[in-house]
RNA sequence: GCCGAAGUGGCGGAAUCGGCAGACGCGGCGGACUCAAAAUCCGUUGAGGGCAACCUCGUGUGGGUUCAAGUCCCACCUUCGGCACCA
């Protein structure tokens, strides 16, 4: 063995202890001068332990925090546990344990054996655990605030029911009609549930996206989910009645082509409007639709079905009587649950009209002429067959038609959103009880604040059943309480709330952890919030991140927080794959972080994870690659520990490379481009090696550049070089732009755009000088022989292109 | 179907503004050290051709703009992610 072996175990243990004892990772929350709140999505402490995907995300976020610290900020980087939920409840049932014991064990394992080893600067004095009463008391407090603001309401509605999880799901938890957790086909059930009025905030949630500094990919997903669409509400008088059938359309300009109407089968007016001779047929169709699973209903290329109910509307534009149908391609729950069908200009209406032989009338024409339509024309054009609007461009027609109808009280402009209210109730055990009491006289009454938290009772049997009746309803002595308002016998709400409520405000709680009189201290909140940087996975774009923005806005409106957007910056990290494929237990291609922390050490693991690809795009893990990173760490170690450190000034090429590295690494860390930052530190390391000596200035600069990426070994070496304190408090090295310029420069010479050689000339050489030098290159001379130079493109210091 | 991201050596991936394609690393090959191997260090490594100086080709495909295109424009193919009968 000719080199000293770097003992990562001893070094990591030593510095972990020193950092903890000296409180390096605990900023003064009441007095910090340059507060920087560096947040990452807290994990779910599963029994399997920390996933390498978590390590990937946390490392990327931690590097950002460490870099900011070295740049002079007081960085607050808390960590916690999102530990309520079906996952651990199911697991507890499976192994016959109680979720509370299970979670305490898992949290301990996560924190002590895993999170504390990855080298992150977590402030453990401010940990949260959503399942502890001191936390969920505030979850309940938040619920009551929402109730007081009129943003929590109860409604009996068809909700998504997962027959396997035996609970309801929010719309956001249903992916292509399947439960996002267990993949079971979701059915619909009529249940009384609590909802939060997120739809009241649809416009703000949409509008603010233009003003916040978030990953574009995340904003796009949110825009998509909110699905704002501008159009009009139009009223069609029902033939023979005084009332109207209201529809939402984004194409009021096509109203002259509305040749029939379609209502959703679930529409309540269907009963009233159906002609007596159609009742049997309508009832049969509605029954059939009820039986149809959502999956079948949206299956591709499914032929259109529907029934003419024998009633008519008057088209307010043409005065025609047009038939009303019901069909399952019109959804109850979007818009008004009824549409005006314009087969000429809507693909779905076209398919339906073709199937049932309904008239198709062209009213928008790209060229102003009439055509035989083979398919719906959905593009722009001019209005035809639409007196008195003929010739009007369709874009203009939209507002003109709406205005025309509005004048007669038959419509108005309207913006519709796809976003629907957030269903909060869950018929499960392992969650925060909903702090409400149902009284026959007073209705739903909040639990008085001094009685919070409503403790989750210990149940022997907490398994759910298919009745829709929650497990807590079985705890009779817990459920039966007097009404806080009138004292009459009443019952607690026995549902628990959606876990996403727990995680929708945890970032507000972190700075105030330990204060049991207040959810979040106003002074600390003002100092530390909104969050400066939030890093997490984009899979939460429509769930956690949307709910959190909504809740923050609602709290802002209630005067409870002084800002309406919770996160100044959000960056979505990519996914870590392995050998080109997504990691999954079933494929058996998961990377075990514990083993690697043991065998390679935290620094090597951190560096290699970040080296696998651009952090915001994800990376591809290869087992063979990590050895190279370990070699890099050992080279750093040997650079300091093996040779002699020389105090001569750094000059010449090495000085230039060093300043270039300072610039490059700083810029890359700023942009979360950790893979190229690491490459740049390797280049500097290679340049020091090639220089033949280890000069103090160069070595110390290198250590500082590597410090946020590999905190342990750099701290060790920093002290080995005789320093006190910690390398991690900075300052970050500065570069001198003047030092980036070399005395001579290599200029590529192209002939007709093709590279033929390179000349080395003094920096600032003129076009003439470069051209002279270029002629002396054999390859260039050959190319120029017997030809006339037509033009010379010269970029001083960069390139010359000779055109012949 | 719509929206978004991306296609570059054997592999992961680099390449501010249109200006030397392949940084950095893995793997491979050759060498040093060693009895030998491992480890380490040094050299080399896009493909094809040539004794050589050099030449030709090359960033998913086909066109185009330009002195110059991985980068810009048009058309298309493939992969991944999101939404999806949302009127």
């Amino acid at each position: 063995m000719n080199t000293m072996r770097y003992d990562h175990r001893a070094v990591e243990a030593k510095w972990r202890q020193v950092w903890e004892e000296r409180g390096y990772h605990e900023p003064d929350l009441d007095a910090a001068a340059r507060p920087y709140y560096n947040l990452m999505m807290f994990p779910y402490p599963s029994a399997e332990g920390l996933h390498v995907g978590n390590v990937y995300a946390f490392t990327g976020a931690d590097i950002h925090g460490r870099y900011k610290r070295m740049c002079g900020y007081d960085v607050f980087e808390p960590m916690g546990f999102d530990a309520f939920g079906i996952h651990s409840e199911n697991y507890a049932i499976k192994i016959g344990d109680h979720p509370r014991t299970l979670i305490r064990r898992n949290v301990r394992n996560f924190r002590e054996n895993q999170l504390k080893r990855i080298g992150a600067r977590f402030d453990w004095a401010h940990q949260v655990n959503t399942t502890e009463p001191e936390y969920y008391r505030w979850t309940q407090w938040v619920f009551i605030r929402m109730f007081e603001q009129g943003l929590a309401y109860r409604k009996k509605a068809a909700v998504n029911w997962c027959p396997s999880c035996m609970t309801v799901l929010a719309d956001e938890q249903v992916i292509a009609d399947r439960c996002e957790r267990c993949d079971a086909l979701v059915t619909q059930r009529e249940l009384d549930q609590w909802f939060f009025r997120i739809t009241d905030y649809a416009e703000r949630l949409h509008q603010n996206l233009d003003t916040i500094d978030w990953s574009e990919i995340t904003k796009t997903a949110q825009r998509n989910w909110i699905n704002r669409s501008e159009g009009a509400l139009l009223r069609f008088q029902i033939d023979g009645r005084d009332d109207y059938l209201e529809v939402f359309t984004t194409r009021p300009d096509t109203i002259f082509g509305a040749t029939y109407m379609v209502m959703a089968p679930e529409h309540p007016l269907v009963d009233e409007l159906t002609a007596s001779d159609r009742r049997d047929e309508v009832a049969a169709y509605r029954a059939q639709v009820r039986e149809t699973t959502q999956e079948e209903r949206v299956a591709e290329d499914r032929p259109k079905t529907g029934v003419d109910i024998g009633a008519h509307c008057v088209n307010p534009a043409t005065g025609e009587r047009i038939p009303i149908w019901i069909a399952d391609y019109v959804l109850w729950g979007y818009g008004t649950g009824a549409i005006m069908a314009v087969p000429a200009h809507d693909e779905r209406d076209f398919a339906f009209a073709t199937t049932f032989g309904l008239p198709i009338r062209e009213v928008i024409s790209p060229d102003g002429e009439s055509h035989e339509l083979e398919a719906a024309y959905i593009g722009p054009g001019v209005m035809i067959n639409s007196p008195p609007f003929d010739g009007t461009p369709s874009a203009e027609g939209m507002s003109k038609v709406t205005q025309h109808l509005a004048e007669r009280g038959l419509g108005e402009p309207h913006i519709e959103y796809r976003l629907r209210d957030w269903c909060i109730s869950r018929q499960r055990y392992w969650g925060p009880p909903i702090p409400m009491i149902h009284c026959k006289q007073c209705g739903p009454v909040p639990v008085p604040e001094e009685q919070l938290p409503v403790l989750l009772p210990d149940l022997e049997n907490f398994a759910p059943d298919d009745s829709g009746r929650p497990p807590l309803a079985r705890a009779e002595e817990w459920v039966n309480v007097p009404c806080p308002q009138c004292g009459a016998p009443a019952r607690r709400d026995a549902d628990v709330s959606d876990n996403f409520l727990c995680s929708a405000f945890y970032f507000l709680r972190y700075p105030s952890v330990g204060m049991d009189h207040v959810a979040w201290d106003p002074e600390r909140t003002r100092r530390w919030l909104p969050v400066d940087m939030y890093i997490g996975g984009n899979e939460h774009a429509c769930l956690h991140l949307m709910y959190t923005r909504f809740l923050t806005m609602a709290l802002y409106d209630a005067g409870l927080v002084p800002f309406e957007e919770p996160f100044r910056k959000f960056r979505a990290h990519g996914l870590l794959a392995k050998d080109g494929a997504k990691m999954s237990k079933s494929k058996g291609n998961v990377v075990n972080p514990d083993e690697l922390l043991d065998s390679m050490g935290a620094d090597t693991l951190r560096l290699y994870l970040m080296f696998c690809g651009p952090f915001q795009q994800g990376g591809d893990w290869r087992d063979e690659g990590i050895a190279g990173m370990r070699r890099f760490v050992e080279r750093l170690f040997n650079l300091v520990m093996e040779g002699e450190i020389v105090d001569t000034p750094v000059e010449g090429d090495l000085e230039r490379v060093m300043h270039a590295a300072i610039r490059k690494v700083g810029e890359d860390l700023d942009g979360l481009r950790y893979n190229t930052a690491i490459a740049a530190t390797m280049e500097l390391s290679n340049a020091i090696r090639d220089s033949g000596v280890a000069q103090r200035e160069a070595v110390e600069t290198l250590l500082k550049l590597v410090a946020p990426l590999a905190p342990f070994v750099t701290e060790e070496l920093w002290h080995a070089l005789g320093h006190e304190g910690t390398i991690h408090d900075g300052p970050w090295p500065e570069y001198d732009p003047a030092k980036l310029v070399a005395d001579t420069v290599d200029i590529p010479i192209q002939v007709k755009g093709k590279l033929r050689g390179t000349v080395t000339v003094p920096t600032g050489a003129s076009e003439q000088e470069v051209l002279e030098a270029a002629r002396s290159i054999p390859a260039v001379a050959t190319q120029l022989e017997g030809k006339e130079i037509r033009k010379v493109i010269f970029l001083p210091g960069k390139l010359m292109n000779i055109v012949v």
Side-chain angles (χ1 to χ4, degrees):
Chain A
M1 193 186 276
N2 57 3
T3 60
M4 233 165 114
R5 190 84 182 156
Y6 166 56
D7 181 356
H8 61 265
R9 279 166 228 254
V11 168
E12 290 177 12
K14 175 168 89 188
W15 292 112
R16 259 203 310 277
Q17 195 190 343
V18 172
W19 293 337
E20 195 173 327
E21 279 169 2
R22 300 194 186 166
Y24 280 161
H25 302 157
E26 296 168 26
D28 184 338
L29 295 177
D30 296 312
R34 297 185 71 194
Y36 191 93
Y37 192 163
N38 186 44
L39 183 70
M40 58 201 88
M41 288 181 179
F42 62 164
Y44 188 94
S46 66
E48 294 91 48
L50 194 68
H51 187 266
V52 71
N54 295 132
V55 183
Y56 181 74
F58 296 158
T59 300
D62 178 66
I63 291 166
H64 178 73
R66 287 184 174 278
Y67 174 61
K68 286 291 174 186
R69 174 70 195 139
M70 289 183 77
C71 291
Y73 291 92
D74 297 299
V75 175
F76 178 46
E77 189 172 301
M79 178 48 59
F81 302 93
D82 184 20
F84 267 137
I86 290 180
H87 187 86
S88 40
E89 185 177 325
N90 287 350
Y91 188 74
I93 291 167
K94 194 173 131 198
I95 66 168
D97 209 340
H98 194 281
R100 179 166 292 119
T101 4
L102 185 77
I103 284 299
R104 291 207 170 134
R105 197 162 61 226
N106 292 352
V107 162
R108 203 183 147 68
N109 181 42
F110 259 63
R111 188 182 52 225
E112 301 305 321
N113 303 334
Q114 302 188 297
L115 289 169
K116 285 195 174 175
R117 295 180 62 197
I118 66 173
R121 52 185 328 289
F122 295 136
D123 178 349
W124 288 111
H126 294 88
Q127 165 198 303
V128 301
N129 175 339
T130 58
T131 64
E132 297 295 344
E134 69 236 35
Y135 184 87
Y136 70 71
R137 149 186 201 175
W138 302 116
T139 313
Q140 294 168 339
W141 183 86
V142 165
F143 183 98
I144 293 169
R145 298 287 87 76
M146 296 297 278
F147 178 75
E148 286 172 351
Q149 294 295 305
L151 292 171
Y153 68 100
R154 241 170 126 66
K155 127 177 129 173
K156 192 178 189 85
V159 289
N160 307 302
W161 176 264
C162 173
S164 156
C165 299
M166 292 189 269
T167 186
V168 304
L169 304 171
D171 286 342
E172 289 79 5
Q173 291 167 316
V174 180
I175 311 293
D177 302 308
R178 289 178 178 275
C179 172
E180 69 153 3
R181 276 209 60 258
C182 67
D183 220 34
L185 210 50
V186 168
T187 59
Q188 300 292 303
R189 269 207 185 180
E190 289 276 329
L191 284 173
D192 247 324
Q193 307 280 304
W194 285 104
F195 286 86
F196 280 180
R197 290 188 202 279
I198 192 171
T199 52
D200 282 9
Y201 288 75
E203 183 62 25
R204 265 160 90 185
L205 288 166
H206 181 269
Q207 289 240 321
N208 282 9
L209 287 175
D210 294 335
T211 69
I212 53 181
D213 181 5
W214 281 30
S215 292
E216 210 47 53
I217 189 171
T218 311
K219 297 209 270 187
T220 305
Q222 293 209 342
R223 280 195 195 98
N224 229 318
W225 186 255
I226 296 168
N227 194 23
R228 178 186 195 270
S229 68
E230 282 185 36
L233 283 173
L234 304 179
R235 282 179 283 280
F236 286 59
Q237 195 193 345
I238 299 166
D239 194 38
R241 291 170 61 117
D242 273 347
D243 56 351
Y244 295 82
L245 186 59
E246 193 174 47
V247 301
F248 173 70
T249 179
T250 53
R251 294 295 302 273
D253 56 314
T254 65
I255 192 168
F256 290 85
T259 52
Y260 63 101
M261 307 293 286
V262 188
M263 294 164 80
E266 299 90 342
H267 200 294
L269 269 179
V270 172
D271 277 329
E272 281 183 52
L273 297 183
T274 303
S276 48
D277 61 327
R278 300 288 178 148
R279 289 202 180 279
D280 292 349
E281 214 181 327
V282 167
Y285 183 71
R286 295 177 92 184
Q288 179 199 320
V289 169
R290 249 194 315 276
E291 307 274 293
T292 314
T293 66
Q294 296 211 12
E295 193 173 50
E296 287 163 10
R297 188 164 167 167
V298 298
E300 243 174 278
D301 296 330
R302 179 166 169 263
K304 292 276 182 288
T305 60
V307 173
D308 182 346
I309 67 168
H312 292 82
C313 273
V314 178
N315 183 325
T318 63
E320 278 173 303
R321 260 175 106 239
I322 56 175
I324 304 175
W325 288 61
I326 55 172
D328 67 1
Y329 82 94
V330 172
L331 307 175
W332 179 240
Y334 182 78
T336 63
I339 61 158
M340 65 175 203
V342 184
H345 305 292
D346 181 281
E347 286 166 350
R348 295 150 301 181
D349 297 342
F350 187 91
F352 191 83
T354 312
T355 308
F356 292 101
L358 291 155
I360 298 170
R361 185 189 306 139
E362 186 188 25
V363 292
I364 302 292
S365 166
D367 56 7
E369 306 293 320
S370 293
H371 311 83
E372 201 55 46
L373 289 173
E374 307 268 299
Y377 175 72
I378 54 174
V382 294
M383 296 172 70
I384 58 170
N385 298 322
S386 306
F389 294 97
D390 285 347
T392 309
S394 47
E396 235 172 88
M398 296 190 195
S399 51
K400 284 198 172 162
V401 168
T402 307
Q403 197 192 337
H404 175 72
L405 292 173
E407 280 160 12
R408 294 190 283 148
L410 293 174
E412 68 253 351
H414 181 78
I415 299 168
E416 185 68 33
Y417 307 88
R418 202 273 303 270
L419 185 71
R420 293 213 262 147
D421 277 342
W422 174 14
C423 175
I424 293 291
S425 310
R426 292 291 181 278
Q427 291 68 50
R428 295 290 299 224
Y429 170 69
W430 190 235
I434 290 177
M436 298 296 290
I437 292 166
H438 298 284
C439 169
K440 283 207 175 71
Q441 266 73 51
C442 313
V445 179
V447 171
E449 207 166 315
E450 62 277 10
Q451 287 174 31
L452 295 182
V454 177
L455 289 172
L456 181 64
D458 263 312
L459 290 190
E460 275 292 303
N461 172 21
F462 50 83
D465 60 39
D466 195 44
S467 65
R469 197 166 163 264
L472 290 180
R474 300 195 291 258
E476 283 297 324
E477 67 285 9
W478 178 83
V479 165
N480 290 302
V481 286
C483 168
Q485 237 162 60
C486 70
R491 289 176 66 82
R492 287 189 192 278
D493 195 296
D495 285 340
V496 297
S497 59
D498 181 11
N499 295 302
F500 282 105
L501 184 57
C502 308
S503 55
F505 75 98
Y506 78 116
F507 67 100
L508 288 168
R509 180 64 187 161
Y510 272 138
S512 303
V513 162
M515 298 184 171
D516 55 9
H517 59 285
V518 65
W520 45 86
D521 176 68
E523 186 45 45
R524 285 196 181 172
T525 302
R526 207 170 9 255
R527 185 178 294 271
W528 290 94
L529 286 142
V531 168
D532 293 284
M533 172 65 109
Y534 194 24
I535 289 177
N538 202 46
E539 65 274 16
H540 285 116
C542 302
L543 290 153
H544 165 62
L545 288 169
M546 188 79 83
Y547 296 148
T548 304
R549 291 184 59 218
F550 156 61
L551 189 77
T552 306
M553 281 177 197
L555 293 171
Y556 171 78
D557 289 349
L560 293 167
V561 296
F563 47 86
E564 63 173 312
E565 284 291 341
F567 314 123
R568 284 202 172 94
K569 264 175 124 167
F570 171 78
R571 290 293 178 271
H573 64 250
L575 224 68
L576 184 71
K578 189 184 176 197
D579 302 325
K582 218 169 163 172
M583 277 188 223
S584 75
K585 255 198 293 180
S586 55
K587 276 191 227 132
N589 68 339
V590 285
V591 173
N592 182 336
D594 293 355
E595 284 169 16
L596 291 159
L597 286 168
D598 285 340
S599 61
M600 293 288 177
D603 291 329
T604 302
L605 179 59
R606 288 168 63 103
L607 284 164
Y608 188 59
L609 282 170
M610 294 303 108
F611 192 65
C612 284
F615 186 59
Q616 292 180 75
Q617 274 166 50
D620 195 8
W621 176 281
R622 309 265 152 169
D623 283 335
E624 318 83 59
I626 193 168
M629 202 50 79
R630 172 75 195 195
R631 277 198 282 273
F632 175 60
V633 171
E634 286 181 10
R635 270 204 297 273
L636 283 180
F637 186 77
N638 292 327
L639 182 65
V640 175
M641 306 303 285
E642 261 213 325
E644 193 191 346
I645 301 294
V646 180
D647 278 314
T648 52
V650 175
E651 299 168 321
D653 281 351
L654 182 60
E655 183 182 43
R656 205 179 64 254
V657 171
M658 186 177 86
H659 284 265
I662 295 170
R663 183 170 79 165
K664 173 78 176 152
V665 174
E667 285 172 358
D668 283 353
L669 293 186
D670 251 332
L672 271 42
R673 293 181 296 269
Y674 301 137
N675 56 334
T676 49
I678 293 166
T681 64
M682 288 175 164
E683 282 184 80
L684 177 57
S685 161
N686 291 345
I688 294 173
R689 177 197 61 203
D690 294 344
S691 76
V693 283
Q695 291 170 298
R696 176 172 292 273
E697 188 190 353
V699 172
E700 291 190 348
T701 299
L702 174 61
L703 290 181
K704 286 215 166 181
L705 298 184
V706 179
L709 301 151
F712 293 108
V713 69
T714 47
E715 184 81 315
E716 174 74 8
L717 298 176
W718 187 247
H719 284 256
L721 287 171
H723 293 278
E724 303 285 320
T726 176
I727 190 173
H728 299 297
D729 280 351
W732 188 252
E734 281 175 31
Y735 68 91
D736 178 353
K739 301 274 173 61
L740 295 171
V741 185
D743 299 341
T744 62
V745 61
D746 292 345
I747 296 187
I749 306 298
Q750 298 178 339
V751 180
K752 286 196 300 181
K754 276 196 180 153
L755 183 73
R756 297 296 170 180
T758 308
V759 295
T760 304
V761 294
T763 303
S766 70
E767 179 170 339
Q768 274 311 314
E769 291 165 327
V770 174
L771 190 56
E772 282 315 306
R775 283 182 194 279
S776 64
I777 301 173
V780 174
T782 322
Q783 293 295 324
L784 295 182
E785 201 163 307
K787 288 171 189 158
E788 186 195 342
I789 295 178
R790 276 205 359 240
K791 195 172 168 190
V792 174
I793 315 265
F794 180 62
L795 280 82
K798 277 203 148 170
L799 169 133
M800 172 169 281
N801 187 10
I802 303 164
V803 188
V804 293

